[in-house]
Amino acid sequence: QNSRELYALIRKRPSGIILEEGNLLSHASILAREAKIPAVVRVPDAASKLKTGDRVELDATRGIVRLLS
């Protein structure tokens, strides 16, 4: 994800961010933390498993993403 897309995402103030790649010191993680937006990184196949409109529970402290029914 390039920087412009990342900044645009942060400006929209999402409830949380789920990323397939990165780490706690990646650009996306730092921006999310500074904007006080919970983020979970290294979620394998997140883009293929989660669809627009899905309800998820995000626990950024423990690094858990759970798809809700």
Side-chain angles (χ1 to χ4, degrees), residues 2-61:
N2 70 37
S3 292
R4 285 184 194 201
E5 291 172 338
L6 188 54
Y7 285 117
L9 174 65
I10 296 293
R11 279 196 304 267
K12 290 182 180 182
R13 302 294 305 165
S15 299
I17 298 173
I18 301 168
L19 300 166
E20 289 186 355
E21 298 178 1
N23 59 54
L24 294 176
L25 297 176
S26 67
H27 194 174
S29 296
I30 292 168
L31 287 175
R33 182 176 60 240
E34 292 303 312
K36 297 187 180 5
I37 298 171
V40 176
V41 296
R42 286 192 250 178
V43 180
D45 303 316
S48 62
K49 291 180 180 176
L50 300 173
K51 306 293 182 241
T52 300
D54 283 348
R55 294 183 53 214
V56 297
E57 179 181 347
L58 183 103
D59 183 340
T61 303

